[in-house]
Amino acid sequence: MKVLVQKFGGTSVGNVDRIKAVAKRIAATKEYGNDLVIVVSAMGHTTDELTGLAQAISRNPPQREMDMLLATGEQVSIALLAMALSELGIHAVSMTGAQVGIVTESAHGRARILEVRTDRLINRLSEGQVVVVAGFQGTSLSSGGTAEITTLGRGGSDTTAVALAAALNASTCEIYTDVPGVLTTDPREVEGAKLMQEISCDEMLELASLGAAVLHPRAVEIARNYGVNIEVRSSLTNQNGTRLTSNSRRPIGREGLELGRPVDGLELVDSQAVIALSHVPDKPGVAAKLFEKLSIGGINVDLIIQSTHEGNSNDITFTVSENQLFNAQILCEELIEEIGGKLTTESGMSKLSIRGVGIMGRPGIAASLFDSISRAGINLRLIATSEVKVSCVIDAKLGSKAIRATAEAFELNDSQVLINPPSKDIEAPEVRGVALDRDQAQLSVISVPDLPGTAAALCSAMADAGVSLDAIVQSERQHDDGSRDISFTLKREDREKADLALIPLLAQWQGSSMKEGPAIARVSAVGAGMPSTPGTAARMFRALANAGINIAMIATSEIRTSCVVSEPDGVTALKAVHEGFHLSK
Ligand code: ADP
Ligand code: ASP
Ligand code: MG
């Protein structure tokens, strides 16, 4: 029989009336004859409240005890929902993560799912029961063989639901929430955000990891890898929501359901040129002016990076294909004449990228890419990171060496390596949605050696401390001794861990120091059509300039453009970009 997995979020089961309403909806679905597995979150803000209780006792409570505490939230809602279903004459049974066989790694607070032992679940379903499962939790077998309660990380009930759907071979997982589906941006911040009928898993992964909290990124990863279709919809209406489809259907590997290989492709694009404008004025409108000029001149810009700056000037670096270098250079010279600054260009470069899912969520991956390249003695000219792709620009002469080192590091076979793949015209909007992340901090390491291995050492130290870096940017300008600065953004909650991880590196790099940036927010635009639509970045920068917002950092990847702005500008920036791409209703 067909299994249907439905997940109801915190607001949807926020009080007794809502639980009764959810039970009625489930009862109506049951009439269609599906086997039903229901995953629920804790009621309303329960998880926040429990966290508050813990914080009132300890600033740094043991992670194991936090999991013991937080897992109780979901246990309340499953029992109440099972009771509500019984009241309606539906045979239902509630089960915790452990009872339903969700086996995870032992990392408390952020455990990944290794396996779902479905026997007990299947037995209950074959008896005709509706199984109500506690989201967000699982069980690990500790070294002593004792089962421990683990949680998957905030928002993790989505991941429970999609993992169950994958393990049960369910064709669809319905995620019921308090909005009509995935919208072009967060409706709490921007009035007029529009419902999307569909979105690709790659786009959703980028959006979710850039702040669109409507889906847990790991749920999208599982859906993408194992071919689960997701439908996000409102628990308050009967309207269709947003479909996320996935074509791949890989078997669940020995490494574990969520630990399957995150990198599944490698590509090298040669004949690239790097253009750098340094010491340009640090004021709104400069990036807009530059990239509009290039766009009107027919130049297709690939990666764009703007680093932080000393004093009141900025450096903007970007790549174009070599055959456009000459024209791009003329346009940049014209602009520099007008606004000031210095131009440098370099041809004979290649872009090497790894592709996959959940790359930034696993900080070790970017670190091992940079490490394998630096071990081959190759310097990284530019770096661009994202959830589905990490790229670096290197000397083209070292391209084959870099490919060999990377393919070996990620155990990729020849069929997974593409050299100069033809660019695809994807039928998707240049910008599908925009997101704001306010939980970001910015750090710079000043005066680090400009040698192979520096970025790798930084990323490895952070990865070992469990910290994901985003928007890693190496400064264009060099200090008198040839050293450069590296800036990055990270989750604000990871600041302390990052500081500790940096201490040994700073000691090793003589004369280096750490600098904390001002409070920031990051606004990002995501769309699969971005690479095939020239001028997208220019439109984003123009929207920000017209709103009078200064851009502190820029980082792009294949299907996303992110700008770091000052924290108080965050929501205005989000609205401006949303409006700039005409995404409103
Ligand atoms: P649940 O408790 O159902 O899991 P969440 O609070 O985790 O719900 O996620 C739903 C919330 O995500 C919405 O209320 C909305 O404010 C927020 N959100 C952020 N970005 C988006 C977006 N692009 N589309 C829809 N909702 C979004
Ligand atoms: N209750 C957990 C949280 O609030 C899990 C979830 O709702 O997805 O993060
Ligand atoms: Mg959620």
Side-chain angles (χ1 to χ4, degrees):
M1 189 181 284
K2 259 175 68 180
V3 181
L4 179 62
V5 179
Q6 297 185 322
K7 178 253 169 180
F8 293 88
T11 316
S12 309
V13 294
N15 57 41
V16 165
D17 287 339
R18 292 224 168 126
I19 291 178
K20 287 182 182 168
V22 164
K24 273 201 193 134
R25 187 184 272 275
I26 296 168
T29 313
K30 183 75 185 144
E31 285 192 356
Y32 288 102
N34 285 305
D35 276 345
L36 283 183
V37 176
I38 310 295
V39 175
V40 280
S41 294
M43 291 170 70
H45 297 288
T46 303
T47 312
D48 288 333
E49 285 154 16
L50 292 170
T51 306
L53 291 177
Q55 296 283 322
I57 290 175
S58 162
R59 261 195 67 202
N60 196 12
Q63 276 297 334
R64 177 187 183 277
E65 305 311 329
M66 278 308 286
D67 280 358
M68 291 294 281
L69 177 71
L70 296 188
T72 62
E74 271 70 12
Q75 205 172 324
V76 172
S77 36
I78 51 169
L80 292 177
L81 181 58
M83 290 174 200
L85 285 165
S86 300
E87 276 297 301
L88 298 176
I90 307 279
H91 290 294
V93 58
S94 66
M95 286 191 185
T96 62
Q99 288 172 324
V100 91
I102 295 184
V103 181
T104 72
E105 3 162 70
S106 55
H108 284 293
R110 56 183 165 88
R112 287 188 179 258
I113 299 175
L114 299 174
E115 169 188 14
V116 186
R117 298 184 180 161
T118 49
D119 321 3
R120 195 163 166 192
L121 185 56
I122 289 171
N123 280 341
R124 295 298 193 151
L125 290 175
S126 60
E127 289 164 7
Q129 304 212 40
V130 172
V131 182
V132 183
V133 179
F136 170 64
Q137 54 176 261
T139 175
S140 75
L141 289 176
S142 75
S143 50
T146 328
E148 290 285 354
I149 292 177
T150 52
T151 64
L152 313 183
R154 293 303 304 269
S157 294
D158 299 334
T159 296
T160 305
V162 181
L164 286 173
L168 293 167
N169 232 339
S171 59
T172 304
C173 178
E174 296 175 346
I175 307 277
Y176 287 88
T177 182
D178 56 1
V179 282
V182 182
L183 308 186
T184 47
T185 192
D186 189 341
R188 272 187 241 175
E189 307 288 4
V190 182
E191 224 179 288
K194 208 163 47 187
L195 177 68
M196 301 175 191
Q197 285 184 333
E198 57 182 6
I199 179 170
S200 69
C201 283
D202 277 5
E203 289 169 308
M204 191 64 230
L205 263 169
E206 294 280 26
L207 276 176
S209 71
L210 294 166
V214 61
L215 278 176
H216 199 226
R218 280 163 49 193
V220 187
E221 258 177 55
I222 299 173
R224 188 258 199 196
N225 286 345
Y226 303 111
V228 178
N229 297 323
I230 297 184
E231 188 169 347
V232 184
R233 50 195 299 174
S234 166
S235 63
L236 307 169
T237 69
N238 281 321
Q239 244 107 73
N240 288 339
T242 306
R243 279 187 320 276
L244 268 90
T245 47
S246 161
N247 303 323
S248 85
R249 200 166 261 279
R250 58 158 101 147
I252 296 175
R254 267 175 299 129
E255 305 94 339
L257 190 132
E258 275 201 87
L259 297 186
R261 296 222 183 115
V263 175
D264 52 20
L266 170 62
E267 62 184 48
L268 185 81
V269 181
D270 58 22
S271 305
Q272 298 291 297
V274 175
I275 302 181
L277 278 76
S278 60
H279 299 86
V280 295
D282 176 28
K283 59 176 193 207
V286 171
K289 211 169 197 172
L290 168 64
F291 291 102
E292 275 171 351
K293 201 172 170 72
L294 292 165
S295 167
I296 293 166
I299 310 286
N300 209 351
V301 173
D302 184 15
L303 302 177
I304 305 175
I305 281 159
Q306 179 190 303
S307 56
T308 48
H309 40 270
E310 302 153 286
N312 54 2
S313 69
N314 268 334
D315 300 343
I316 304 177
T317 312
F318 58 95
T319 63
V320 295
S321 72
E322 239 164 22
N323 57 17
Q324 294 203 303
L325 174 60
F326 182 72
N327 290 340
Q329 196 167 343
I330 295 174
L331 295 168
C332 292
E333 275 161 3
E334 279 173 16
L335 183 73
I336 284 200
E337 193 105 327
E338 186 188 328
I339 62 169
K342 205 175 122 208
L343 178 71
T344 47
T345 63
E346 263 167 278
S347 50
M349 308 301 281
S350 287
K351 179 175 80 168
L352 177 139
S353 315
I354 51 171
R355 212 176 249 296
V357 285
I359 294 185
M360 297 319 286
R362 297 176 176 86
I365 301 211
S368 62
L369 169 68
F370 303 153
D371 186 54
S372 61
I373 291 183
S374 72
R375 274 173 200 275
I378 302 169
N379 208 6
L380 301 171
R381 179 66 182 82
L382 288 183
I383 298 169
T385 56
S386 90
E387 201 55 13
V388 298
K389 196 168 183 181
V390 179
S391 305
C392 44
V393 176
I394 56 172
D395 182 345
K397 290 195 287 297
L398 301 169
S400 337
K401 200 172 171 193
I403 282 278
R404 275 197 303 278
T406 314
E408 198 174 300
F410 293 103
E411 298 176 28
L412 298 172
N413 59 39
D414 289 351
S415 70
Q416 292 170 304
V417 181
L418 297 175
I419 312 282
N420 292 322
S423 51
K424 277 183 268 171
D425 244 344
I426 295 173
E427 260 189 58
E430 58 173 329
V431 173
R432 177 93 67 181
V434 297
L436 178 70
D437 192 342
R438 277 187 279 211
D439 297 326
Q440 292 271 303
Q442 190 208 317
L443 279 182
S444 303
V445 193
I446 311 293
S447 290
V448 297
D450 184 21
L451 292 172
T454 301
L458 181 73
C459 290
S460 302
M462 293 296 170
D464 291 345
V467 178
S468 285
L469 299 189
D470 194 75
I472 310 163
V473 174
Q474 317 187 75
S475 70
E476 213 33 60
R477 47 188 100 163
Q478 286 177 296
H479 298 282
D480 293 341
D481 60 356
S483 65
R484 293 181 192 270
D485 306 338
I486 298 187
S487 304
F488 49 89
T489 59
L490 71 168
K491 288 209 174 67
R492 208 168 284 165
E493 66 190 32
D494 285 342
R495 256 306 307 273
E496 257 175 60
K497 279 194 264 174
D499 285 356
L500 285 177
L502 277 176
I503 293 171
L505 288 180
L506 293 176
Q508 183 184 324
W509 295 327
Q510 264 191 7
S512 66
S513 60
M514 192 184 79
K515 193 171 120 198
E516 185 178 354
I520 54 155
R522 178 184 52 186
V523 58
S524 308
V526 173
M530 203 174 274
S532 47
T533 320
T536 307
R539 279 190 280 285
M540 177 156 176
F541 305 150
R542 172 54 59 203
L544 293 170
N546 288 350
I549 293 172
N550 200 24
I551 305 171
M553 270 169 100
I554 300 171
T556 68
S557 185
E558 189 174 32
I559 62 167
R560 70 127 147 167
T561 302
S562 297
C563 295
V564 168
V565 299
S566 80
E567 141 90 75
D569 281 340
V571 175
T572 317
L574 181 71
K575 287 182 180 155
V577 176
H578 192 258
E579 207 42 56
F581 288 104
H582 310 292
L583 295 176
S584 292
K585 271 188 220 157

